[in-house]
Amino acid sequence: MTTKQKALFIIFGGTGDLAQRKLYPSLFNLYKKGFLNENFAVIGTARRPWSNDHYQDVVRNSISGMEDTAQQANEFASHFYYQSHNVTDTNHYVTLFELAQKLDEKYQIGGNRLFYLAMSPHFFGTICEHLRSQNIVTANGYNRVIVEKPFGHDLASAIQLNDDICKFFPEEDVFRIDHYLGKEMIQNIAAVRFGNNLFKALWNNRYIDNIQITLSEALGVEERAGYYETSGCLRDMVQNHILQIVALLTMNAPVTFSDVDIRQEKISALKALQVYTPQEVKENFVRGQYTQGNGQVGYRQENQVAKDSVTETFVAGKLHVNSMSFAGVPIYVRSGKRLATKGTRIDVVFKNMPNNIFDCGQILPNVLTFNVDPIPAMSLRLNSKAVSQEGYGIEDNTLTYTHDNALRAQTPEAYEKLLLDALKGDATNFTHWQEVYYSWRFVDAIRQAWDQEKIDVETFPNYECGSMGPKAAFDLLAKDGNHWEFDPCHEG
Ligand code: BG6
């Protein structure tokens, strides 16, 4: 069912890359599908002195090729208004208030407001404060703040940021974006786990041997090296996306499928992560940086990167979740830039048969795989009888369900899904503050251990562009007698 939404979006950072690449196309899709109709408007703000006309041109450009007719694109763009805005100048909020009131009336929005903070987190506090003090929040509708990542730089800065926002907006009105939670196959984890008795019964340390999560990227840091130098892969990918996936895989079943209950269980799962000592970090975590190879330059040769940078562009680790269901199950994770391929994949490796009665050498364990990107698919590796004239052989076969082109064309992009959820006030796929808290608590311990440990310049950078990371990332599993199920460098 298409429920028409009424909302005024105020986007701080309206001229930015994210707004143009993700937000405007997503809003346009919601418009085309009828979720947004007459009763919506967008105020884009940023420091640049743009006119409304120019802003609407930018919006039209960002949706170019998606429109059915030019008139449709024009009509959509006509809902966009620009205000040049210095976030620290109180007078600018006075103008913003007037514009917001005018648009609320013109489009009969009923006071619903979504404040999208797509700019430096440094300004979030002052923006939220002014939204309250200048009465830009309404009394007759909802007022929700959508916050882009990164949410802090470490636990202390995240606490500060959260305090700055929550002084003015209660937790239930704060929507922290993690775009991975808008991906179809990530959302599928709950469907498979809680919709199939088969897996409900097996989803614990009695039957699962280990879990492997890979977020591999073929691209390098592109034009974002300035940010990446201060972030590194641990903060950029592990603190948010990977730990969110860990939470979805290891959480207990929620009592109901609602945002409150689901997030409660995710919080407990993240709380159960074992926070490592420096010695445990050494044993369980590997960092890497790409060096030139396969026609690509090394990280240190990228623009805006220090020639002696030790920023990690790769992380692999083994996590322990100290819960009743998952204690003792290693959760292996890895992510990196300039790897062999773009591939986001989760492999749940089940324990092997306790006894092999077949006279056929080794039989392989069952593996349930979620292929998130680039092609959404799920598969299950099973053993079955090999067809033969004589004897009784066992071979492994994989049952696969892939989203075909038609289904993929129908699948909303992550941002589109998340924006609609925020419009509806459904926080299921947004990160609760306590999830952020426990994620930083875990990540900080690794970061601090690494920052204290001197990197051996002889061995860093340590993996070639186009590989699947440093050897140590393979050794991490090998020393437990395991291996990465996803090994694109050795696949036929
Ligand atoms: C972002 C990171 O959160 O996720 C980027 O900041 C990364 O560095 C991106 O490239 C990956 O997202 P996706 O959806 O392409 O896997």
Side-chain angles (χ1 to χ4, degrees):
M1 195 182 60
T2 309
T3 340
K4 283 187 191 165
Q5 304 293 320
K6 295 179 174 191
L8 173 67
F9 287 84
I10 301 185
I11 303 180
F12 294 88
T15 57
D17 183 55
L18 177 90
Q20 295 184 46
R21 268 189 318 110
K22 298 287 184 194
L23 305 186
Y24 303 151
S26 298
L27 289 173
F28 185 55
N29 275 334
L30 294 176
Y31 178 75
K32 284 212 305 189
K33 293 176 186 169
F35 291 106
L36 294 174
N37 219 271
E38 295 92 36
N39 311 110
F40 89 100
V42 178
I43 303 178
T45 79
R47 289 191 76 137
R48 297 179 208 182
W50 283 6
S51 64
N52 275 350
D53 284 348
H54 180 66
Y55 184 45
Q56 292 181 3
D57 279 347
V58 168
V59 171
R60 262 189 299 266
N61 272 338
S62 72
I63 58 163
S64 148
M66 297 167 65
E67 70 274 36
D68 298 327
T69 63
Q71 193 196 353
Q72 184 190 43
N74 287 337
E75 267 169 24
F76 172 72
S78 74
H79 288 254
F80 285 69
Y81 297 78
Y82 186 76
Q83 192 203 305
S84 170
H85 186 95
N86 173 353
V87 290
T88 57
D89 185 337
T90 305
N91 289 329
H92 286 190
Y93 292 89
V94 176
T95 331
L96 188 59
F97 169 82
E98 283 159 10
L99 180 59
Q101 293 301 99
K102 200 175 93 188
L103 297 180
D104 190 280
E105 234 167 78
K106 174 167 177 182
Y107 293 101
Q108 298 182 12
I109 287 171
N112 293 339
R113 294 197 177 162
L114 281 156
F115 307 104
Y116 203 112
L117 309 185
M119 58 188 306
S120 164
H122 187 60
F123 298 114
F124 290 178
T126 189
I127 295 174
C128 292
E129 181 177 0
H130 280 97
L131 292 175
R132 278 276 165 214
S133 67
Q134 300 310 306
N135 295 321
I136 298 173
V137 293
T138 57
N140 57 333
Y142 62 69
N143 292 275
R144 298 180 186 139
V145 186
I146 306 182
V147 187
E148 267 300 326
K149 70 169 270 266
F151 199 90
H153 191 68
D154 53 17
L155 181 57
S157 60
I159 290 176
Q160 181 64 55
L161 182 59
N162 198 53
D163 286 351
D164 289 350
I165 297 172
C166 287
K167 250 186 258 162
F168 306 103
F169 288 88
E171 172 66 29
E172 60 268 26
D173 289 337
V174 182
F175 289 68
R176 297 176 195 81
I177 291 246
D178 181 320
H179 77 280
Y180 267 62
L181 298 183
K183 290 180 189 259
E184 197 60 34
M185 276 297 154
I186 296 291
Q187 296 192 355
N188 224 338
I189 295 171
V192 170
R193 286 195 55 194
F194 307 125
N196 297 288
N197 207 14
L198 175 69
F199 289 117
K200 189 209 153 285
L202 301 181
W203 213 266
N204 56 53
N205 41 16
R206 264 170 296 150
Y207 295 101
I208 294 182
D209 185 84
N210 69 86
I211 294 181
Q212 307 179 6
I213 303 169
T214 301
L215 272 52
S216 119
E217 298 189 84
L219 293 176
V221 281
E222 309 301 291
E223 65 293 335
R224 290 168 73 235
Y227 147 78
Y228 201 84
E229 270 286 83
T230 61
S231 152
C233 185
L234 184 67
R235 291 185 175 108
D236 189 48
M237 300 294 276
V238 179
Q239 185 274 336
N240 37 58
H241 310 320
I242 285 190
L243 292 187
Q244 282 295 311
I245 297 172
V246 170
L248 289 167
L249 290 165
T250 61
M251 67 194 260
N252 289 331
V255 177
T256 66
F257 201 68
S258 64
D259 50 4
V260 173
D261 289 342
I262 291 172
R263 297 203 302 178
Q264 195 50 54
E265 298 303 339
K266 282 174 71 196
I267 292 167
S268 299
L270 291 167
K271 189 175 176 184
L273 279 175
Q274 185 173 327
V275 179
Y276 288 145
T277 62
Q279 182 54 32
E280 287 168 336
V281 170
K282 249 194 198 25
E283 288 160 12
N284 293 299
F285 265 83
V286 171
R287 56 180 153 167
Q289 188 188 79
Y290 59 84
T291 181
Q292 69 185 55
N294 290 301
Q296 305 288 353
V297 296
Y299 178 68
R300 289 179 182 172
Q301 284 75 54
E302 304 270 13
N303 273 337
Q304 293 182 281
V305 172
K307 295 289 162 256
D308 57 353
S309 170
V310 291
T311 301
E312 79 285 354
T313 60
F314 178 95
V315 173
K318 175 163 110 177
L319 283 58
H320 289 107
V321 175
N322 291 331
S323 64
M324 282 292 175
S325 303
F326 276 90
V329 178
I331 318 270
Y332 302 109
V333 305
R334 68 180 160 169
S335 179
K337 300 235 181 241
R338 282 268 184 261
L339 297 181
T341 187
K342 169 77 187 167
T344 304
R345 177 169 149 166
I346 300 157
D347 291 292
V348 180
V349 182
F350 289 88
K351 291 198 167 154
N352 214 339
M353 290 300 292
N355 182 25
N356 180 0
I357 60 167
F358 303 105
D359 183 21
C360 64
Q362 215 204 349
I363 56 174
L364 295 175
N366 303 124
V367 179
L368 172 70
T369 299
F370 296 89
N371 245 314
V372 181
D373 278 321
I375 311 240
M378 270 189 312
S379 60
L380 180 62
R381 185 170 77 194
L382 295 174
N383 293 307
S384 52
K385 183 185 170 299
V387 176
S388 62
Q389 180 83 43
E390 221 188 342
Y392 196 97
I394 296 289
E395 64 181 15
D396 61 286
N397 282 299
T398 301
L399 309 181
T400 304
Y401 161 61
T402 307
H403 285 191
D404 61 16
N405 288 344
L407 211 47
R408 295 217 293 278
Q410 251 173 270
T411 306
E413 208 268 334
Y415 268 90
E416 181 188 334
K417 254 193 173 155
L418 295 176
L419 281 177
L420 184 57
D421 285 351
L423 281 161
K424 292 183 168 172
D426 178 353
T428 306
N429 294 309
F430 294 85
T431 349
H432 189 281
W433 160 241
Q434 286 181 50
E435 296 175 59
V436 177
Y437 178 94
Y438 290 118
S439 301
W440 274 124
R441 185 181 74 162
F442 175 78
V443 159
D444 267 10
I446 301 161
R447 187 70 265 166
Q448 283 158 14
W450 280 354
D451 288 345
Q452 274 156 25
E453 189 190 305
K454 225 172 141 30
I455 278 203
D456 179 359
V457 283
E458 298 295 312
T459 57
F460 207 79
N462 56 1
Y463 71 95
E464 249 184 55
C465 293
S467 68
M468 275 310 276
K471 181 174 173 296
F474 292 86
D475 295 344
L476 187 70
L477 278 71
K479 67 185 182 202
D480 296 341
N482 291 325
H483 62 271
W484 291 105
E485 293 291 331
F486 179 39
D487 190 3
C489 292
H490 296 103
E491 268 165 17

